[in-house]
Amino acid sequence: MAQSFDAIVIGAGPGGYVAAIRAAQLGQKVAIVEREHLGGICLNWGCIPTKALLRSAEVFHLMHRAKEFGLKADGIGYDLDAVVARSRGVAKQLSGGIGHLMKKNKVTVFMGAATLPKKGTVSVRTDKGTEELTAKAIILATGARARELPGLEADGDLVWTYKHALQPKRMPKKLLVIGSGAIGIEFASFFNTLGADTTVVEVLDRVLPVEDAEISAFAKKSFVKQGMKILEKTTVKKLDRAPGKVTAHLESNGQTTTQEFDTVISAVGIVGNVENLGLEALGVKIDRTHVVTDEFCRTGVEGLYAIGDIAGAPWLAHKASHEGVMVAELIAGKHPHPIKPNSIAGCTYCHPQVASVGLTEAKAKEAGHEIRVGRFPFIGNGKAIALGEAEGLIKTVFDAKTGELLGAHMVGAEVTELIQGYVVGRSLETTEGELMETVFPHPTLSEMMHEAVLDAYGRALHI
């Protein structure tokens, strides 16, 4: 006999488990189905364990700079297995915490693979057999996986995806990273800091191509200074594999050259997990592996919603979580506001960090805005100098007529923490006047956010 719920969530990543919690808080009887790990990719194989790795690399980098701070550190080294073990431990701790949250909120957990045989019904194949569940509302939160291009498929030995890179069998000596988005550049930063001879290939005309061009250029300069090789407007046509080495065929400007590497990381995007769910038979529209939804994550099939990576860009955990809350409130009869993609911050945890929200300078111009642009360098900030982190830039883009903050873009130490100030400002529809009148504490990195606003209007104080 089928078990009945008010809402069923398929996928327990940052979108799914948050949707389940919020629905339960609103008095709904909720079930969540997960085929692998509570916490999904983010907690187990993405956001969290990568940040743990990058933190180890950051500390290692700082240890080499000990002399600058009047300190002594001799015989500096690392144990890759121990670095990875710490990362996995952090992921395990948080994944276990999700189980606790499910119990606390009385969410029924089913571990198994889900299909939707008909509207309002979820069939779950578990180790003990098949469970049939019914609900008026079903939320798809199945996430995404690494895209694999023909000829560049991962084998776990010579060619890695992010999962292999999170549990490396060895330290690469000569590494090729294909793709310079957030995933690619974070792994490039990690392995380069630990000593790998790292080359990054990007098919577009600049690294971190979704970022503001000025920020991308600044980041590239820093990466090159750290020893990375950056090949832009370059395509990896094929990989020839032999014992212990990969020969990459690289095409640029119509010419093909070859280079040898011992390890390749493929980071060429993601594809949505839409297969084997029965979506097509229900009439769900799928476009390039992503479920098509409206602004409230409705699929067009009554009672069926899609959130997070499966519902398309931006592919960010915090976007998925916010969509989960919105849909849970919608199901419970509330009237939530739809998500505004341009008010969702993007963060990349390479060294230096990169963060942004809203329109780039180029996109603002394309949209027809007359703009004012402000900039402030880290070298003009006392806290940045005291921290030994004087390389960086904060950039703001305003509508010249209305004073609306159209976008903010940062590169440098801790900018992934700073960006939220501008996110709040955009959410509150703050103008340049209000930002200029806000008192920022001293000495902090956040003072640069104030100065970047002042600079857009010719009022910067410290440059």
Side-chain angles (χ1 to χ4, degrees):
M1 185 176 173
Q3 296 188 55
S4 180
F5 296 88
D6 297 314
I8 301 169
V9 183
I10 303 175
Y17 84 74
V18 167
I21 290 172
R22 184 62 184 137
Q25 287 175 343
L26 292 167
Q28 305 282 295
K29 183 183 178 184
V30 184
I32 193 164
V33 182
E34 172 55 48
R35 69 181 181 184
E36 197 170 2
H37 304 289
L38 293 178
I41 292 295
C42 178
L43 274 140
N44 294 284
W45 297 105
C47 323
I48 301 303
T50 54
K51 304 313 160 280
L53 291 182
L54 286 160
R55 175 61 172 166
S56 292
E58 180 184 16
V59 173
F60 184 65
H61 172 74
L62 284 171
M63 288 168 71
H64 280 88
R65 295 178 58 197
K67 191 175 180 181
E68 292 178 38
F69 298 91
L71 306 173
K72 292 181 179 180
D74 299 318
I76 300 166
Y78 63 85
D79 178 340
L80 185 61
D81 290 341
V83 169
V84 172
R86 176 181 181 272
S87 169
R88 300 316 306 157
V90 169
K92 185 178 179 181
Q93 178 183 342
L94 288 168
S95 181
I98 303 303
H100 168 72
L101 288 171
M102 295 299 97
K103 287 179 183 176
K104 177 186 173 185
N105 289 280
K106 297 181 174 61
V107 174
T108 304
V109 177
F110 293 89
M111 296 302 295
T115 56
L116 285 75
K118 58 184 178 181
K119 191 170 73 173
T121 301
V122 176
S123 180
V124 187
R125 191 174 69 254
T126 71
D127 291 340
K128 298 175 183 177
T130 300
E131 297 269 5
E132 190 165 279
L133 319 176
T134 61
K136 289 182 180 178
I138 297 171
I139 304 172
L140 297 171
T142 55
R145 63 188 184 278
R147 181 187 299 279
E148 293 199 290
L149 299 180
L152 310 183
E153 295 91 350
D155 53 37
D157 179 22
L158 298 171
V159 183
W160 299 349
T161 64
Y162 61 85
K163 277 194 174 184
H164 303 121
L166 279 167
Q167 291 185 297
K169 296 178 180 178
R170 63 178 181 279
M171 178 62 194
K173 293 184 176 67
K174 192 171 183 187
L175 172 67
L176 170 65
V177 177
I178 308 173
S180 73
I183 294 172
I185 216 69
E186 285 182 2
F187 279 118
S189 189
F190 172 73
F191 285 111
N192 186 73
T193 300
L194 293 188
D197 180 353
T198 304
T199 298
V200 178
V201 168
E202 173 55 54
V203 68
L204 298 178
D205 61 354
R206 55 193 173 88
V207 292
L208 297 168
V210 302
E211 301 296 340
D212 184 88
E214 193 171 351
I215 299 299
S216 291
F218 192 106
K220 177 188 175 181
K221 187 176 179 181
S222 182
F223 298 152
V224 170
K225 186 177 177 182
Q226 293 169 45
M228 278 191 217
K229 300 171 186 69
I230 308 290
L231 303 178
E232 296 156 327
K233 292 193 285 188
T234 302
T235 304
V236 180
K237 301 303 289 184
K238 68 173 182 171
L239 300 173
D240 294 332
R241 307 171 203 221
K245 69 175 183 178
V246 180
T247 302
H249 296 252
L250 309 175
E251 183 179 271
S252 180
N253 297 320
Q255 294 186 323
T256 300
T257 58
T258 60
Q259 288 191 43
E260 282 189 7
F261 302 89
D262 63 73
T263 311
V264 177
I265 296 176
S266 179
V268 290
I270 61 172
V271 293
N273 293 322
V274 295
E275 305 91 347
N276 305 316
L277 289 166
L279 300 182
E280 295 86 348
L282 288 175
V284 175
K285 187 177 179 183
I286 296 171
D287 179 28
R288 288 169 291 180
T289 80
H290 297 286
V291 173
V292 177
T293 67
D294 68 6
E295 62 182 350
F296 288 102
C297 297
R298 295 176 293 215
T299 65
V301 175
E302 185 184 1
L304 185 62
Y305 304 81
I307 65 172
D309 287 355
I310 194 179
W315 297 289
L316 300 166
H318 43 289
K319 173 253 197 186
S321 295
H322 205 81
E323 286 178 338
V325 170
M326 177 187 72
V327 170
E329 293 184 351
L330 203 61
I331 290 167
K334 306 287 185 183
H335 302 282
H337 294 291
I339 305 296
K340 295 178 181 177
N342 271 336
S343 290
I344 298 173
C347 298
T348 305
Y349 298 81
C350 47
H351 181 74
Q353 294 180 6
V354 176
S356 61
V357 65
L359 300 177
T360 64
E361 181 178 351
K363 290 289 185 185
K365 289 176 181 175
E366 283 175 26
H369 293 279
E370 182 185 333
I371 62 172
R372 299 190 72 127
V373 178
R375 299 172 181 83
F376 195 83
F378 273 49
I379 192 66
N381 177 263
K383 179 69 178 293
I385 294 170
L387 290 175
E389 299 289 355
E391 286 191 16
L393 174 70
I394 293 181
K395 177 176 180 177
T396 54
V397 182
F398 289 90
D399 185 290
K401 295 177 181 176
T402 67
E404 177 188 358
L405 176 63
L406 298 173
H409 311 275
M410 308 177 173
V411 56
E414 300 304 326
V415 296
T416 57
E417 298 291 340
L418 295 178
I419 193 65
Q420 188 61 15
Y422 287 133
V423 175
V424 171
R426 278 180 55 80
S427 294
L428 296 176
E429 299 182 352
T430 304
T431 65
E432 90 291 357
E434 290 160 329
L435 287 168
M436 285 193 278
E437 289 165 15
T438 298
V439 180
F440 287 72
H442 174 79
T444 64
L445 298 176
S446 69
E447 291 176 276
M448 293 184 286
M449 298 168 63
H450 190 217
E451 291 273 15
V453 175
L454 293 172
D455 184 60
Y457 291 84
R459 290 178 50 182
L461 299 169
H462 292 94
I463 50 171

